Amino acid sequence: MKAIIIEDETAAVNSLKAILQQNSVADIEVVAELESIEDSIEWFQSSSPPDIIFMDIHLADGLAFTIFEQVEVAAPVVFTTAYDEYALQAFQVSSIDYLLKPVTLNSLEHALNKFLLFNPMERKEHILRTNAMIENRKEVKKLLVMFADKFYPLPVDDIYYFYTAREKVTAHTFDGKKHPVDYTLDTLYEQLNQQHFFRANRQFIISRKSVKDIELWSGNRLSVNLLIPVPERIIISKVKTPIFKKWIMQEED
């Protein structure tokens, strides 16, 4: 059985490959290791589909679901994630399985056994269902925010950045106000338009229109200054720097 791994963490790739070799369910050959959306799209455009794909959801250059929007993914998918089940509720019916990191031999073999139960027609239906589910993802336009004992809708277009600290997330609007949000940054980012918003680091999601200027920072990193105050400096890592530059320069719809 031929497999590809789409994962941007070297340690996670090595761990998954080691477990694949240990499994007793199927003989698996990893034919490609891809670490970004861009690499994956290029690979799918020029290669024959594998039998199975192990795909991390959160890649350095965005959510892996973007791959499905650019190319036909003609193979069943096992999603992997460092986050719990709530982050994948919309995709549980379409994926073969999801594996929480660190992936264990038991969870991997469980996913492979499910995969082997599919007959050719069921595998084809699975692929079509996965693509349809991702294609029909709903981009959030407003967030329902609770303050005191009342709820109010907050337009996403008014938000300059999201920030998380002490397990609490706040949305900061152009008028300098902050609004409590009952989502994690990971869940939010899955639903935002990624042309307009960028996951800068573990603390921030920033909007394109909020960016004032960008400074060179130590270690080939960037420091992003926004048009409104922020609780701490926004640093773009060396890995994300080229991705951020491409994002900030692209034209918006």
Side-chain angles (χ1 to χ4, degrees):
M1 184 188 303
K2 296 185 183 300
I4 67 168
I5 298 174
I6 301 176
E7 167 65 68
D8 64 348
E9 297 179 4
T10 301
V13 172
N14 293 336
S15 175
L16 180 55
K17 286 171 63 180
I19 293 173
L20 285 170
Q21 290 178 350
Q22 296 171 29
N23 95 86
S24 59
V25 176
D27 185 15
I28 295 178
E29 175 191 3
V30 177
V31 297
E33 300 167 26
L34 309 166
E35 61 179 23
S36 69
I37 292 169
E38 187 174 357
D39 289 345
S40 301
I41 291 171
E42 290 179 2
W43 191 90
F44 282 116
Q45 287 174 335
S46 61
S47 307
S48 300
D51 298 303
I52 191 170
I53 301 167
F54 295 92
M55 180 184 291
D56 187 11
I57 291 177
H58 298 273
L59 302 173
D61 54 349
L63 292 174
F65 305 130
T66 305
I67 298 168
F68 293 80
E69 298 166 0
Q70 301 295 321
V71 293
E72 180 183 359
V73 178
V77 178
V78 175
F79 290 118
T80 64
T81 177
Y83 307 97
D84 210 341
E85 180 177 352
Y86 72 88
L88 288 173
Q89 287 176 350
F91 303 97
Q92 286 179 25
V93 295
S94 60
S95 64
I96 293 174
D97 208 343
Y98 68 93
L99 306 179
L100 289 178
K101 296 178 181 178
V103 176
T104 66
L105 180 60
N106 184 61
S107 65
L108 174 73
E109 290 185 335
H110 181 265
L112 291 175
N113 278 318
K114 287 176 67 175
F115 169 74
L116 292 175
L117 287 175
F118 287 4
N119 60 42
M121 182 59 70
E122 289 171 329
R123 291 184 190 183
K124 183 177 181 180
E125 289 175 356
H126 159 78
I127 293 166
L128 293 173
R129 193 164 61 245
T130 301
N131 281 271
M133 285 289 294
I134 291 172
E135 187 176 316
N136 293 324
R137 282 189 305 144
K138 300 298 183 183
E139 176 191 330
V140 65
K141 299 292 186 181
K142 293 182 180 180
L143 298 175
L144 192 62
V145 176
M146 183 174 185
F147 181 74
D149 58 348
K150 295 182 179 180
F151 289 95
Y152 61 93
L154 177 65
V156 169
D157 285 346
D158 291 347
I159 298 171
Y160 271 23
Y161 69 91
F162 295 93
Y163 175 70
T164 184
R166 296 182 292 277
E167 299 184 355
K168 293 183 178 180
V169 176
T170 48
H172 297 249
T173 46
F174 66 94
D175 55 7
K177 294 181 180 179
K178 61 181 181 179
H179 312 261
V181 177
D182 193 23
Y183 297 96
T184 65
L185 288 192
D186 299 293
T187 302
L188 277 169
Y189 196 52
E190 290 178 10
Q191 301 176 63
L192 294 170
N193 185 326
Q194 291 176 31
Q195 277 197 310
H196 304 302
F197 287 90
F198 185 81
R199 181 69 185 269
N201 52 39
R202 292 181 182 275
Q203 285 73 44
F204 287 93
I205 296 174
I206 60 176
S207 73
R208 180 196 303 278
K209 64 185 177 185
S210 72
V211 177
K212 178 183 179 182
D213 55 43
I214 304 157
E215 301 175 47
L216 294 176
W217 203 248
S218 61
N220 294 317
R221 298 176 296 170
L222 298 175
S223 175
V224 181
N225 299 314
L226 303 189
L227 293 168
I228 61 174
V230 294
E232 59 180 286
R233 187 177 290 274
I234 303 173
I235 300 297
I236 308 292
S237 69
K238 178 181 177 181
V239 171
K240 281 194 171 184
T241 287
I243 301 164
F244 174 78
K245 288 180 177 178
K246 184 181 294 185
W247 173 79
I248 200 67
M249 292 301 294
Q250 71 184 359
E251 294 184 6
E252 295 190 73
D253 293 336

